[in-house]
Amino acid sequence: MNDSAVIDAPQASPQETNSCFARFVDVQKSYDGVELVVKGFNLDIQSGEFVTLLGPSGSGKTTCLMMMAGFETPTHGEILLKGKPISGLPPHKRGIGMVFQNYALFPHMTVAENLAFPLEVRHLSKAEVQQKVDRALAMVRLEGFGSRRPAQLSGGQQQRVALARALVFEPELVLMDEPLGALDKNLREEMQYEIKRIHASLGVTMIYVTHDQTEALTMSDRIAVFNDGVVQQLATPETLYESPDNAFVATFIGENNRLMGEVVERLDERCEVRLDSGERVIAKPVAVGGAGSRTTLSLRPERVALIADDGDAERYDNRFPAIVKEVIYLGDHLRTRLELCGNDEFIIKTPNAEGHPSLRPGQSVTVGWTWQDCRALDA
Amino acid sequence: MSQSPATPLTTADGVPLKVSLRRAVRRSKLKALLLASPLLAFLLIAFVMPIVDMLWRSVDNPEVSTHLSRTVQALQGWDGESLPEEPVFAALVADLREGKEARNLGLLSSRLNYEKSGMRSTISRTARRLRTVEPPYREALIAVNDTWGELDTWKLIQREAVPYTLSYYLAAVDRQFGPDGEIVKVPEYLEIHVELFWRTFWMSAVITALTLLLGYPIAYLLATLPLRHSNLLMILVLLPFWTSLLVRTTTWIAILQSQGVLNDMMVAIGLIADEARWQMIHNKIGTIVAMTHILLPFMILPLYSVMKTIPPSYMRAARSLGGKPLLSFRRVYFPLTIPGIAAGGILVFILAIGYYITPALVGGQSGRFITNYIAYHMQTSLNWGLAAAIASILLAVVVVFYLVFNRLIGVDKVKLG
């Protein structure tokens, strides 16, 4: 069931094999010869694309990145770069820029020496090195910081230097291994835009690893959601969020209400599900079998509406009474926890708009949602 | 702000906060001092006082001025151009008589004998004949022993009448005062210390280099292997630490001696002929091999503690940036281990130049260190002043190395494990 869901998934971009810049073909990796950390990873990356490998820790995403960089070898399968297999190529001959989790700036060298390192090992002339280092520093807006040591820079500045160093020798592919993990929230957001800007201006291909879904959604052209060594879904951020293929993706990307139930009747484009608490819900079948199969209904909190008593109730195919348990004020929106259909973890988000109904814990309300927003996924 | 910044902060009972804080800090400092006081007392008695005593002994020079006080006084104003006049000889006779009574001429005679060989017998012979000596003493003493007729003897007495002398330090570097107070080399057949100093230094340097060569890869493995393997390796490194120094040294005798394990094996496989067994012990090779083995942990541990702090991502970064493995090592990893190399190097070198037991046991004649001569002067020749001077020179070398190290690297970088 799971597999068929993956195969049925709409592909976000055309997969023209011959124009592929980098490819993972059926790559497997095992460290101990018993357990597979990566199980059959396939990914085609177009030139200039920003692809994110997203997943919880231990899902195999960093391993995939390390195999691309050449620090790990696949136990099965092949990795191709511009059509050529690179498994036999040592890291220093791959010409791939890489930004490490803790930046890995050489502490005994100045910023300028750090940036000059990849150029000097390529035997560029002194003038060329100087010119490229200056340009790279300007690109990350750190002019005048060349003579400092990494330890004298803030976390954000170190991050910029690491980025500049990975780009200074003009690689066509840049790998980033959770590069913003050590930064605080504001700086992280700033750097996300910075990286996006650089990506757009240089046109390099980037493979980015993160466990932060917001980061992935903000920056990526396409996201591969990893779990348990398998890509659960590979799609654009919008598709991932709006139409997740399975329950893992739905839960991992964004906030999500889950209702467990059983399919009663399945029609072409909609199905009827009986929840474990007895209520019936009309949903959109995405990854379910026929009548009688178990399913998880996935519903985004912002797609659930509070229904006022005046007439627009008919817009919603599903309407249920609920009791307000908790209201959290978040400035631009309100996050309300409800008890609905025997589930007291049901979350709705309502914009803090003019004239929004004020809710109090204990209050009875009616909520509703359309069948299109309620996706019936694997159990 | 309700309180203006000018108003001093006070505690609840009105004491200014600053005073109160200072008092609390002082109290805790006092407590710390009390806790450390047993160790401080021990260090003072067993470490600081012996060093001060050694430094003092290396320049202390009481013998002539106390045991020949009358002579020294009579010699004041002597021009040194011709033999002293009768009063000086009379004073000498009086001094020697008193010394003979008190039975302490030995100290005087050996002290003078360090500077002018033959003085011991001159003084003892003169002392024996004192009863028969009659004025005029000048002729009488010269008749007893013509050393008293030499100008140099009197110059020596006059020179050594000062309470402090540099002659022990001169002796420690194979120099002495000439008859007129100029510094000259000792006769070639007496030269020993300078060669021993150099040997101690260059052999210590070789030992330091060998421990670095052998220890660097091991420290690297210790820092990079998975914990399970590195723990086992660490035990292997530390095992020598837990074994008696004497056992380790004598084991090398069993292995390296001409009828030893190594020679036997090489003869057995036909590498060397039975009658041409290698001499690998009781010479420089023996000292270097045994001391390299014994001092190896002191190189490995500081190296390891530095390497442990170098994340593997540095080498990965270097390689991803296009550095070949060797170049990445040379430009990135190696420079980061320099504090460890310096710390291990200084530790091993300082320990090596002060090592005594191992060179004494396996060094033979040619593999001996200057420390063995300190022991010789302490125990056999009983020239403690010279022993103290040699030891003080060693101490000075160690202090200089320490200061240079601290200036270049910083002592806070030294960690063991």
Side-chain angles (χ1 to χ4, degrees), chain B residues 57-84:
Chain B
R57 262 172 206 279
S58 67
V59 292
D60 189 31
N61 189 34
E63 290 87 355
V64 174
S65 54
T66 49
H67 299 305
L68 289 180
S69 54
R70 294 183 190 86
T71 319
V72 168
Q73 198 149 25
L75 270 175
Q76 267 174 8
W78 176 56
D79 57 3
E81 298 293 329
S82 56
L83 268 185

Side-chain angles (χ1 to χ4, degrees), chain B residues 32-202:
Chain B
L33 192 69
L34 270 173
L35 283 171
S37 58
L39 179 63
L40 285 178
F42 175 77
L43 281 180
L44 191 73
I45 293 165
F47 187 68
V48 177
M49 276 162 50
I51 288 179
V52 171
D53 185 55
M54 174 189 80
L55 291 173
W56 181 72
R57 262 172 206 279
S58 67
V59 292
D60 189 31
N61 189 34
E63 290 87 355
V64 174
S65 54
T66 49
H67 299 305
L68 289 180
S69 54
R70 294 183 190 86
T71 319
V72 168
Q73 198 149 25
L75 270 175
Q76 267 174 8
W78 176 56
D79 57 3
E81 298 293 329
S82 56
L83 268 185
E85 300 300 320
E86 176 65 12
V88 175
F89 284 86
L92 178 66
V93 170
D95 279 331
L96 291 180
R97 279 196 173 130
E98 188 188 286
K100 203 185 169 196
E101 288 289 298
R103 296 178 180 284
N104 56 16
L105 282 181
L107 285 171
L108 175 70
S109 58
S110 30
R111 175 71 193 90
L112 289 175
N113 200 53
Y114 295 150
E115 305 298 326
K116 186 169 181 335
S117 51
M119 281 306 284
R120 196 196 308 272
S121 61
T122 301
I123 289 176
S124 60
R125 200 173 305 163
T126 313
R128 243 179 293 146
R129 309 264 289 272
L130 269 181
R131 220 169 324 154
T132 63
V133 171
E134 296 284 336
Y137 291 118
R138 180 162 146 168
E139 284 69 27
L141 283 180
I142 293 170
V144 169
N145 193 312
D146 48 16
T147 311
W148 298 118
E150 292 170 18
L151 267 181
D152 291 354
T153 312
W154 299 99
K155 282 182 184 164
L156 171 65
I157 291 173
Q158 195 179 35
R159 194 177 66 233
E160 293 302 332
V162 289
Y164 302 105
T165 181
L166 279 178
S167 57
Y168 290 125
Y169 281 101
L170 290 179
V173 293
D174 295 339
R175 301 288 190 281
Q176 62 183 15
F177 284 115
D180 295 312
E182 74 280 12
I183 294 168
V184 294
K185 269 190 162 178
V186 297
E188 208 167 313
Y189 70 95
L190 288 175
E191 274 182 36
I192 179 81
H193 297 122
V194 171
E195 193 205 333
L196 269 165
F197 268 118
W198 283 125
R199 185 197 291 167
T200 305
F201 292 144
W202 77 253

Side-chain angles (χ1 to χ4, degrees), chain A residues 315-351:
Chain A
R315 278 179 53 200
Y316 302 106
D317 312 280
N318 302 295
R319 288 186 301 275
F320 293 100
I323 297 165
V324 177
K325 287 286 179 190
E326 193 182 6
V327 181
I328 299 173
Y329 179 79
L330 287 168
D332 58 341
H333 71 270
L334 294 164
R335 192 168 178 277
T336 310
R337 187 163 64 84
L338 305 172
E339 184 181 336
L340 177 140
C341 303
N343 174 1
D344 67 354
E345 293 290 330
F346 197 91
I347 306 292
I348 65 170
K349 283 182 189 166
T350 39

Side-chain angles (χ1 to χ4, degrees), chain B residues 300-312:
Chain B
I300 293 176
L301 292 179
L303 275 177
Y304 164 74
S305 72
V306 167
M307 287 177 177
K308 195 78 189 157
T309 63
I310 303 174

